[in-house]
Amino acid sequence: MSSLTPRPGILDIAPYKPGESKVEGVSKVIKLSSNEGALGASPRAREAYRAASDTLHRYPDGGATRLRAAIAARHGMTADNIVCGCGSDELIGLLCRAYAGPGDEVLYSAHGFLMYSIYALSVGATPVTAPEVDLTASVDNLLAAVTEKTRIVFVANPNNPTGTYLPAAEVKRLREGLRGDILLVVDAAYAEYVSRNDYTDGRDLVDAHDNVVMTRTFSKIHGLGGARLGWCYAPDQVVDILNRLRSPFNVTSPALAAGEAAIEDVAFTDLSRQHNDVWLPWMEQKMHDMGLETTDSVGNFALVKVPDADACDAFLRARGLIVRRMGGYGLPDWLRITVGLDEENHALIDALAAFLDDRGAR
């Protein structure tokens, strides 16, 4: 019998379950479960990824120099304040390793990204949630949940899975209400989809404070989920800590090349945003016409409340449509559905209507 014992908190972790990609017995599926970019990756990014295969025997640039420069040029930032990672998930984990541990608390809203809890537990810290209001993070509730043990506050803006967001003034109020020894992490994975004029991705707060970090990803609008690439914008002292903690070659050469091409292909990013601007409101309106409730999502997905979510999910899966059940997020009556291609969105709405008709006929 082994005497090995993992660190406290690790056995409390419920492993993250990603969106499924297959349905047994169904040959052709429509995957709308993981918020992947509907249009896929930029042709330029795909070509850059293929070209990188010629030098797979070489280690990648450990500093992600060219990619950081491209991100900085695109967003008007300083490259020295950018750190790249194997998805923004890795950076979230590194921030927990750096600033939280046994006896500390990591705070986030009740229906926030599951990885916040997982990474907090992995370092022995205690995850703490604050109630949301109308499925939206509440600054008042977050501040009320802060204790002397709080070390990190995560706010996903927009939030996954609810799709709701906090206006810039509210995010600023949250920052002003926190002690100086608390790190505020603004997780802006879906920022590129948001066109509201009162929205901030958090970069202004990073510029104004030494304890705010903004995280971003290439997995959503840039369509590079399979490449595992993310980045953060952070103050000098946080960048220094992250570079001490991360693996020396934490991003692969193909991912670096694809990311650089993707960030520079502004036309493709605009096309992906325009696609979402058309189809997300269309999907939500069709759901409302069926009498279904949705949140006011600003991401690339809808969160919809359905009668008997498990039965609805099974009905959709039998027709090759994979969506995401939300029981793990404390929302057992809801489904999260990614915006897909035109024909995929039509198929989804038709199947939802058939499910409701089937229930009404019983």
Side-chain angles (χ1 to χ4, degrees):
M1 186 174 182
S2 174
S3 60
L4 293 176
T5 303
R7 291 184 57 179
I10 292 178
L11 291 179
D12 297 324
I13 295 173
Y16 182 83
K17 294 182 180 180
E20 298 178 39
S21 301
K22 298 178 181 179
V23 177
E24 186 175 351
V26 178
S27 58
K28 182 180 179 181
V29 301
I30 296 174
K31 184 184 179 186
L32 303 175
S33 59
S34 297
N35 298 347
E36 296 153 334
L39 304 187
S42 150
R44 289 170 55 180
R46 296 199 301 269
E47 177 55 36
Y49 192 95
R50 285 190 289 267
S53 66
D54 293 337
T55 56
L56 287 180
H57 60 300
R58 304 296 185 192
Y59 283 104
D61 170 17
T65 309
R66 288 172 58 94
L67 177 56
R68 290 189 298 107
I71 293 170
R74 176 72 182 92
H75 292 289
M77 300 172 176
T78 303
D80 287 345
N81 292 103
I82 294 171
V83 179
C84 295
C86 182
S88 57
D89 295 34
E90 182 194 20
L91 298 167
I92 291 169
L94 290 176
L95 289 168
C96 285
R97 281 180 58 194
Y99 296 103
D104 296 332
E105 294 177 349
V106 173
L107 175 63
Y108 52 95
S109 65
H111 304 298
F113 187 32
L114 291 178
M115 292 307 299
Y116 304 150
S117 172
I118 289 175
Y119 282 127
L121 290 169
S122 75
V123 298
T126 302
V128 177
T129 60
E132 296 183 1
V133 176
D134 296 328
L135 295 182
T136 304
S138 164
V139 171
D140 289 334
N141 290 342
L142 284 166
L143 292 176
V146 171
T147 72
E148 70 279 0
K149 297 180 180 179
T150 305
R151 292 294 174 264
I152 304 176
V153 175
F154 285 104
V155 58
N157 205 34
N159 185 54
N160 167 34
T162 63
T164 55
Y165 78 103
L166 287 177
E170 283 295 276
V171 182
K172 181 180 180 181
R173 185 165 74 89
L174 175 60
R175 174 58 271 168
E176 292 175 345
L178 296 176
R179 301 190 310 268
D181 64 341
I182 296 175
L183 177 69
L184 174 63
V185 181
V186 181
D187 181 355
Y190 297 89
E192 291 90 348
Y193 290 108
V194 186
S195 57
R196 306 294 176 90
N197 59 13
D198 62 346
Y199 172 75
T200 178
D201 59 9
R203 74 184 71 182
D204 54 325
L205 295 177
V206 177
D207 290 333
H209 301 274
D210 62 4
N211 54 352
V212 181
V213 173
M214 175 191 71
T215 61
R216 299 286 282 271
T217 184
F218 280 84
S219 297
K220 306 306 176 186
I221 204 166
H222 294 298
L224 293 176
R228 306 309 304 127
L229 182 62
W231 58 281
C232 73
Y233 181 54
D236 293 343
Q237 63 178 2
V238 178
V239 168
D240 175 62
I241 296 300
L242 290 176
N243 282 329
R244 292 171 187 266
L245 282 178
R246 67 177 179 83
S247 299
F249 304 108
N250 60 328
V251 181
T252 67
S253 296
L256 291 172
E260 183 181 347
I263 204 75
E264 292 175 348
D265 195 347
V266 178
F268 185 82
T269 304
D270 289 344
L271 182 66
S272 297
R273 182 185 303 107
Q274 291 161 12
H275 177 87
N276 199 69
D277 287 345
V278 170
W279 286 104
L280 176 60
W282 181 87
M283 283 175 55
E284 291 183 331
Q285 185 58 54
K286 290 294 184 181
M287 292 170 181
H288 296 164
D289 292 344
M290 297 180 209
L292 299 175
E293 177 186 352
T294 73
T295 59
D296 184 16
S297 175
V298 295
N300 68 330
F301 57 89
L303 185 70
V304 57
K305 189 175 185 180
V306 295
D308 197 341
D310 288 343
C312 184
D313 177 59
F315 187 94
L316 296 177
R317 287 170 64 88
R319 287 153 181 76
L321 288 151
I322 305 177
V323 299
R324 189 70 177 266
R325 295 187 299 276
M326 289 286 102
Y329 282 92
L331 297 166
D333 300 325
W334 298 73
L335 297 175
R336 192 192 68 194
I337 304 175
T338 310
V339 173
L341 296 171
D342 304 19
E343 61 272 20
E344 295 173 337
N345 299 328
H346 278 286
L348 179 279
I349 292 301
D350 290 345
L352 272 178
F355 169 74
L356 295 175
D357 288 343
D358 182 66
R359 286 181 61 86
R362 290 180 182 177

